[in-house]
Amino acid sequence: MTTRVHAFGDDALGDLDSVGVAAAVADGRISAREAAEAAIARVELVNPSLNAVQRPDYERALAAVERTPTGLLAGVPTFVKDNTDVAGLPSDQGSLAVKARPATANAPFTDQLLSAGLTVLGKSTMPEFGFNATTEYATLPPTRNPWHTGYSAGASSGGAAALVASGAVPIAHANDGGGSIRIPAAACGLVGLKPTRDRVVPAAESATLPVDIVSNGVLTRTVRDTAHFMAATQAYRPAPGMRPLGLVEGPADRRLRIGLILDSVTGIATDEDTRQAVLSAADLLGSLGHDVMEVELPVDRRFMEDFKHYWGLLAFATQHFGRKVMSPDFDKTLTDPLTRGLARQFVRRAWRTPMAIAGLKRSTAAYRAAFEDVDLIVSPTLGYTTPELGYLSPAVEPFSLMFERLVRYAAFTPLNNASGGPAVSLPLGRSSAQMPIGVHFSADHGDEQTLLEIAYELESAQPFARIQDPRGSTEVLVP
């Protein structure tokens, strides 16, 4: 059985990251078409094992590169997550209930993404409506983790994470409504930055949400790729009312005060492998001259209850108004057990809705107050290490068991969504099963620069594990 899957080899992409590919295209060592063709070949190699592509669009991609792309990442191949419109492609939202028609125009963020010069090869997989923290389905094959195909790739940007971690593409679009950039980054050993609310163009659905929890971004293998992408987004549209963010190119000289949190608002202790990964990161920060101290959680258990209720509200709205907000052909009888369970849970306590929304809105002030005495907060990205496939599947019964597992797993990330604060997951740890563990850094609103600077410093001090390294693998799939 193949347990580790990657496509790195001696082709036009080699082991280059996005910045490296863009530089090779710019100086003529390879063409944008050669980069796209190499990526397509890699995708075709790994996707039968990973199931990370929702819809390929190779012919249009190859035609697009003939028009000489421009931008900081010109000529770099990528995928767009299946909940974000790309003109000419349907957005199926990871659900059998959606019978999407091809989009007539790009989503606003898609245009911002394309301004970097990226070449879109198609749509990546996601769990139904992004409600789960694993890219698994009730009746369809799951998306698999390239570090070990028996494990979850995380979610909801799980397809994007699997494609980037396996080397099929160096960068892929992701978005985050409760951890959906940072969770798959942690599961697949990637850099996953969730920007400050409104740092990038808002998601198409943001205007309709009582609390805007969604941020778009990317998943990458290197800090500089994320930094270059963020610089490209700001060149396209500087964030209104926010400190300007240019191209961050390395660590800062200043030493930081960093708060340490080890356990989540659930009251359940973080598992030992994850706890040790965070403590090791704290020790590394201390050795680099930063001042690390334990701090209190900025919110209490009521926050998680409010977020769980809001999760249910979104599922209820999708289940009962899907024809209006998703597709005229939406069939609510085909939604999965997680969507239906969340919707039922919401109905039983619908009276809590005004209080839950008010509580989530108050979280912004509580979150920002946490940075009065520290520059950053370091914590686990997830409550426990990446589970094997099936553990978080929407088919797990009863619903209460599956949802309890899900809440414990994704307990650290939602505060940044509700409050609007930025955060990044970095692949600084390894579990006893040799799976990646993410360490989570949060900053005050608009301070992506400090997050990127500390990420550069940690990447240099402790280079991120590479999937090409055969240690811990029984078999490796290569070209």
Side-chain angles (χ1 to χ4, degrees), residues 33 58 64 69 111-112 118-119 121 133 143 150 166 192 198 263 279 285 310 341 391 423 426 431 440 475-476:
R33 183 180 184 90
Y58 302 149
D111 287 330
Q112 188 171 36
L118 297 165
T119 303
L121 301 184
T143 296
S166 67
D198 293 332
D263 296 314
L279 289 172
L285 289 164
Y310 194 68
Y391 188 76
L426 300 176
S431 74
H440 192 259
E475 184 176 345
V476 177

Side-chain angles (χ1 to χ4, degrees), residues 4 19 26 32 42 160 248 264 327 351 400 457:
R4 188 181 292 191
V19 174
R42 289 184 175 202
V248 182
S264 74
S327 164
W351 56 270
S400 59
E457 186 171 5

Side-chain angles (χ1 to χ4, degrees), residues 73-413:
L73 299 176
V76 177
T78 193
F79 278 79
V80 172
K81 187 175 172 180
D82 193 36
N83 61 358
T84 301
D85 283 351
V86 174
L89 292 177
S91 295
D92 295 317
Q93 307 288 332
S95 177
L96 294 174
V98 177
K99 305 295 188 293
R101 302 167 187 179
T104 57
N106 290 334
F109 178 77
T110 302
D111 287 330
Q112 188 171 36
L113 180 98
L114 293 175
S115 72
L118 297 165
T119 303
V120 176
L121 301 184
K123 289 290 196 80
S124 60
T125 55
M126 60 178 287
E128 183 168 273
F129 310 122
F131 291 149
N132 208 339
T134 183
T135 307
E136 296 182 60
Y137 311 93
T139 59
L140 298 173
T143 296
R144 297 178 179 274
N145 192 317
W147 286 86
H148 191 304
T149 53
Y151 284 73
S152 168
S156 63
S157 309
L163 290 166
V164 175
S166 67
V169 292
I171 188 170
H173 166 241
N175 48 33
D176 193 316
S180 297
I181 293 172
R182 293 159 289 155
I183 292 169
C188 293
L190 302 174
V191 177
L193 172 69
K194 185 208 86 71
T196 306
R197 181 188 291 140
D198 293 332
R199 169 64 79 181
V200 302
V201 174
E205 63 271 29
S206 292
T208 66
L209 295 177
V211 181
D212 180 10
I213 59 173
V214 181
S215 292
N216 280 287
V218 290
L219 289 162
T220 68
R221 297 190 297 268
T222 65
V223 175
R224 70 175 188 170
D225 275 5
T226 296
H228 277 71
F229 177 78
M230 290 304 301
T233 68
Q234 300 309 284
Y236 177 84
R237 189 217 68 160
M242 217 172 290
R243 186 171 71 178
L245 177 66
L247 177 58
V248 182
E249 297 187 86
D253 292 330
R254 73 182 180 116
R255 300 298 84 186
L256 306 175
R257 288 174 56 82
I258 300 176
L260 170 66
I261 291 174
L262 290 171
D263 296 314
S264 74
V265 293
T266 64
I268 301 172
T270 303
D271 79 344
E272 190 60 25
D273 278 2
T274 303
R275 180 180 293 268
Q276 287 305 314
V278 177
L279 289 172
S280 293
D283 287 343
L284 177 58
L285 289 164
S287 73
L288 294 170
H290 300 287
D291 185 11
V292 182
M293 70 221 72
E294 289 197 46
V295 295
E296 297 292 325
L297 284 161
V299 292
D300 59 26
R301 293 190 193 184
R302 287 173 296 180
F303 169 81
M304 204 63 197
E305 292 304 311
D306 291 340
F307 196 87
K308 286 159 59 178
H309 189 79
Y310 194 68
W311 207 341
L313 168 63
L314 298 180
F316 176 84
T318 301
Q319 182 77 2
H320 293 278
F321 303 104
R323 288 190 177 182
K324 181 177 180 181
V325 300
M326 293 287 176
S327 164
D329 302 317
F330 181 86
D331 184 351
K332 69 178 183 180
T333 67
L334 297 179
T335 56
D336 73 16
L338 176 57
T339 299
R340 296 195 300 271
L342 285 167
R344 287 194 305 269
Q345 184 171 271
F346 167 78
V347 169
R348 288 196 294 269
R349 306 190 72 191
W351 56 270
R352 286 198 73 253
T353 302
M355 291 181 289
I357 290 173
L360 294 181
K361 289 182 176 180
R362 285 195 301 272
S363 72
T364 297
Y367 176 90
R368 299 202 70 178
F371 295 97
E372 291 176 359
D373 296 320
V374 298
D375 302 296
L376 297 175
I377 292 175
V378 60
S379 73
T381 303
L382 294 163
Y384 54 90
T385 56
T386 303
E388 294 185 28
L389 288 167
Y391 188 76
L392 295 175
S393 166
V396 169
E397 294 181 341
F399 169 79
S400 59
L401 173 62
M402 189 273 292
F403 192 56
E404 178 185 353
R405 291 174 175 179
L406 182 55
V407 170
R408 183 186 162 209
Y409 186 55
F412 286 96
T413 51

